[in-house]
Structures are given as structure tokens and as C-alpha cells.
Amino acid sequence: MIQTLLKITRLDPQRVVRTMLRDISWCNTSLTVMWQAIVSESSLAQVVVKNLLLEQPEPSHSDLHQGYSCNHNLAISHAMHTILHLPSSEECVRLFMRKLYRTVLLKIFFILQCSQRGCFNLRDGDTEENMLPVKEIRNAVECMRAIFRHRMGDSLVEDIERQGGWDMLMSLETYHTGVAVLTRALRNTGPLCCAAVFEETVVALIVRQEHEIGTMAVFVELLDCVKVATIMERIGSTSILSFLPSYLQSQNSVLRDLATTSLVKLSAIPTMAVILQDLLPEIMQQLQDADSNIGAKAMTVLHNLLRVTDRQKAVPIALQLPKLLLPFFLNVRPMSIGRHGSCGCGACERVLCSSAHPAGLACKFCSSHHNAWLRAGNLLLGASQAVMLGQPLHMQCPTDACCTMALCAQLAYHRSLL
């Protein structure tokens, strides 16, 4: 029987994979034996895994797709769990790493959602013991452990264990943190693998309509270790604008934080900063976010972008900043006054025309908002410099002068609070 199954798989692997996913309960012991049999040869394992990836359904809990999507995702998860633990799948992991990494992470998240929504319905032949949500989640996480073991060895798997990465993947609340731990470990595979996974991730963010917290976490972590500008040029540099705005406006604070963190890193790359100018209105909104960490990161992004923003866009942004940044100044109270004390408009003007920090910024604060205060002050300075283009006040047109004076007066007022 096994030899017959192998022959059929060689002739038509797609039909065999589809039939096994559709017609046999994934908890059936005989199905596990069948999956093990058809991937016993390395060449067949590659074909089977490739077809499993092609059979990946759209993960959706909409009324239209819910039943099919949940059942089919669980069937594929069980097949992957069986196959990826076999030695014959090692070459598969190397060949399909760029797709496997995101696919398995997405599957873990989807099964976590299934567990939360109560989607684990029994089918004929299934038992409650086999369908326990925790068991299904653990099986999906074990798939990722197998991928890392094949690709990077036991020592890295144990290192992730020590950091709590595997346990974090078991909960919706800590899932994104676990993904970050795994993705930082992924850097050990080298630049080529990271670049391939990053490109796959960006394409997924562009194509997918639903927000994916895991995919966004991968995107953020890999920004530090790939040539972002080169990869984005190949995909289409402006395509990044197609998904970041919606993440910035998400009701989920974790997604907003991930999006803002990605912008901190992207805006530090000159070529990307020029492209990101179109997101200035959305980034300005983040200054008013209830999460102070998001607001602080938004200030860094604005500071980076205003350096390359043309004056036509910079002036209206700069005029809005004093009002938006006021809360960051009012949230601090000094423990002691710097030796310069408060200063008048003339002193502020001299500071605004230079790259130095304002004289009163070197004070000690009793508030945890000290860093946000410094960022807000530096952002005001950067905005003024962007408007003035580094030239004396009298050389600018009245509009520029009014803008600079408004910022100058606001900064003087904030410093007078010291």
C-alpha cells in the first residue's frame, strides 16, 4: 500500500496532498503514517511541502470563509507538524525558508484566534482530547521549533527557549513579542536568508487586507539587518505607503507601536525618508496618541523627516508642532534650574539658528517624561531649522519669519516653566 501511495505521489503530488487534506480526518493515526510515508524521500518531501504551501487557504474568520478556513488550516498544521519533524524535511526548510517562516507564524496566530473564538469543532472520528486548543497551538509552535532546528541547530532553539520565545507564541497577548525574539534569532541564518524573508514579508503586507501583527513584527525586526533601500527599490519604493497608514490608524495600540517603530528605523535612511514625507499628516496624529511611547517615537520620526522635507510641506507642519508638543512640556517639573535659567527671544533665536541644544535643556527632572521633553525641544528646533533652511531670520520671507517666531516664542515659554 505504501509503495502504491509513493507511486501516485510521484505522478500527481498535488492531487494526493489535496485528497489527504480534504477527505481524511487530520487526527486519524493512519493519516500521520501516510504523511510520513510520502515524504520519506527528500525529493518527494520537497514536492509535498511545496504543494502544502500552495494549498494554504486565506486565513479568515469572516462568516463566508470561517468553517472552511479553520478546518483547512488545522489540517495543514497537522501535516506540517508531521513532516517538519522528519530528517528528510531538512532540505525543504532550506529551500522554502522565505515562505515557511511567515506561513507558520501566520498559522500560529490564526489558531490562537480560533482558540479564542471557539472554532475547534469536532468532526467525525475526532475526540475532545485530540482537539484541545492548547494542543493545537502547541503543535503549530512545534512546527516553528522544527524549522529552527533544521536551519540553525539545537543551540539556537534552546537560546530562544531561555528567552521565553516559544512560550510567548502560545498567547495572543505575547505573540508579537515571541515573533520578535524568533526574528532576532533568524539573523543568524545570514544576510541572504534575512533579505529573502524580509522581501516576502513586505509583499505580504502590501497584498494582505487584514492587519497581521506577526508579519509587522517580522518587518520591524529585520529592518536592522537588511539593505532596505535596495529591496524596496526592487519591490517598488512607494509601495510601503500602501500599508503603513492603515497600521498607524489601527485601533490596536500594539500595531500602532510597531508601525511607528518601523518609521523610526526607515526615516533614518535618507532615501526612505524622502518617500515617507507623504505620511507626515498620519505621523503628526501619533503625537496625540494615548500611548506616550508612540508619541515619543513619532517625534523622532518627524525630526528625521523634517531634515529632508521641502519647505512647502515643512511650514504647515512646523506651525502645528508647538500646540501638539505642549503636553510633553507640561508633563515635567524640574528638580533644579540650569545655570542659564530662562531666556528671552533673542537667545532662543540664536539657538534656533544653530545645531546646538537650547541652553535650558540640561536640567534635572523628577519626571519619567524627561526624554520626551528633550525630544520635543529638539523637534521644535529641527522644525525651525527646516523652515529657515539654516539662514538668519531677516533673510526669510514674512511667512518664514512668522513661523520661526511662533516656534521661538513657544520654546521660550516652555523653557520659562523651568
Side-chain angles (χ1 to χ4, degrees):
M1 176 182 173
I2 296 298
Q3 291 302 318
T4 302
L5 181 60
L6 287 171
K7 289 180 181 178
I8 297 172
T9 305
R10 292 189 188 99
L11 291 172
D12 195 345
Q14 185 181 56
R15 177 171 295 182
V16 170
V17 168
R18 285 181 175 176
T19 300
M20 290 173 66
L21 289 173
R22 184 185 65 236
D23 296 338
I24 308 175
S25 169
W26 59 77
C27 293
N28 192 317
T29 306
S30 62
L31 181 62
T32 300
V33 175
M34 292 170 69
W35 283 121
Q36 291 172 341
I38 64 174
V39 297
S40 56
E41 299 175 9
S42 179
S43 58
L44 272 182
Q46 293 173 28
V47 175
V48 170
V49 170
K50 180 180 179 180
N51 277 279
L52 278 172
L53 289 170
L54 291 173
E55 289 297 313
Q56 175 68 33
E58 181 75 7
S60 174
H61 281 104
S62 67
D63 292 338
L64 182 63
H65 300 101
Q66 182 170 346
Y68 169 76
S69 186
C70 296
N71 290 334
H72 207 57
N73 268 287
L74 285 172
I76 293 177
S77 179
H78 276 260
M80 287 287 193
H81 180 265
T82 300
I83 293 169
L84 292 175
H85 282 81
L86 298 174
S88 58
S89 64
E90 183 173 351
E91 184 65 13
C92 298
V93 172
R94 188 187 68 81
L95 289 174
F96 304 120
M97 184 65 182
R98 63 182 295 163
K99 288 190 176 295
L100 274 173
Y101 186 69
R102 177 184 166 271
T103 298
V104 175
L105 283 178
L106 184 58
K107 197 168 296 299
I108 294 170
F109 186 67
F110 186 72
I111 294 176
L112 284 170
Q113 290 181 315
C114 286
S115 176
Q116 186 184 60
R117 292 168 176 262
C119 301
F120 291 95
N121 298 319
L122 298 179
R123 301 195 317 181
D124 293 339
D126 296 338
T127 65
E128 290 188 9
E129 182 181 357
N130 284 333
M131 287 299 295
L132 287 174
V134 173
K135 183 179 184 295
E136 298 304 321
I137 298 167
R138 186 177 291 113
N139 280 344
V141 173
E142 286 295 326
C143 286
M144 186 57 78
R145 288 179 71 113
I147 289 172
F148 271 77
R149 186 172 287 111
H150 282 314
R151 197 71 174 81
M152 290 162 274
D154 291 331
S155 60
L156 194 60
V157 173
E158 292 168 2
D159 186 50
I160 295 172
E161 182 77 49
R162 285 190 291 270
Q163 296 179 61
W166 303 119
D167 290 337
M168 291 174 188
L169 292 177
M170 298 283 294
S171 167
L172 279 173
E173 288 71 28
T174 56
Y175 169 79
H176 66 282
T177 309
V179 172
V181 172
L182 266 65
T183 306
R184 286 193 290 271
L186 186 68
R187 298 174 186 176
N188 291 299
T189 60
L192 291 179
C193 180
C194 287
V197 172
F198 180 79
E199 186 169 339
E200 186 76 18
T201 300
V202 173
V203 171
L205 287 169
I206 294 169
V207 173
R208 285 278 290 161
Q209 296 299 314
E210 295 182 16
H211 288 163
E212 295 176 1
I213 194 169
T215 306
M216 195 63 186
V218 173
F219 175 72
V220 171
E221 291 298 330
L222 289 180
L223 284 171
D224 294 326
C225 63
V226 299
K227 296 180 179 178
V228 177
T230 303
I231 295 174
M232 292 308 304
E233 184 178 354
R234 184 162 59 247
I235 298 173
S237 297
T238 57
S239 61
I240 201 168
L241 302 176
S242 66
F243 65 86
L244 279 176
S246 65
Y247 278 85
L248 287 171
Q249 296 164 9
S250 171
Q251 294 183 353
N252 187 322
S253 62
V254 174
L255 284 172
R256 294 199 307 275
D257 183 66
L258 287 170
T260 312
T261 302
S262 72
L263 285 170
V264 170
K265 298 179 180 183
L266 288 167
S267 63
I269 305 171
T271 53
M272 295 305 301
V274 173
I275 295 168
L276 294 173
Q277 289 181 59
D278 290 340
L279 294 182
L280 280 170
E282 288 87 353
I283 298 167
M284 289 286 285
Q285 292 178 10
Q286 305 311 304
L287 293 175
Q288 304 174 70
D289 198 288
D291 188 328
S292 59
N293 288 328
I294 294 177
K297 291 174 183 177
M299 283 190 280
T300 300
V301 177
L302 287 168
H303 187 269
N304 292 340
L305 295 187
L306 286 173
R307 294 175 178 176
V308 297
T309 302
D310 58 79
R311 289 173 62 248
Q312 186 176 359
K313 292 181 180 179
V315 170
I317 293 294
L319 285 171
Q320 296 176 57
L321 282 175
K323 181 179 179 180
L324 292 174
L325 295 177
L326 181 59
F328 293 96
F329 289 97
L330 296 180
N331 280 336
V332 298
R333 290 294 181 269
M335 294 174 63
S336 62
I337 304 297
R339 64 184 179 86
H340 298 284
S342 61
C343 62
C345 221
C348 282
E349 181 184 324
R350 288 194 298 274
V351 172
L352 289 169
C353 292
S354 70
S355 59
H357 292 293
L361 287 184
C363 297
K364 297 179 180 178
F365 292 89
C366 59
S367 170
S368 61
H369 295 278
H370 180 211
N371 288 335
W373 193 96
L374 291 175
R375 289 185 185 186
N378 287 334
L379 178 53
L380 279 177
L381 291 176
S384 297
Q385 290 168 345
V387 173
M388 294 178 65
L389 301 178
Q391 298 186 31
L393 186 64
H394 68 272
M395 294 180 65
Q396 303 299 311
C397 67
T399 302
D400 293 335
C402 290
C403 177
T404 304
M405 289 177 69
L407 291 171
C408 179
Q410 193 68 48
L411 182 57
Y413 166 70
H414 293 151
R415 293 173 64 193
S416 71
L417 295 177
L418 297 175

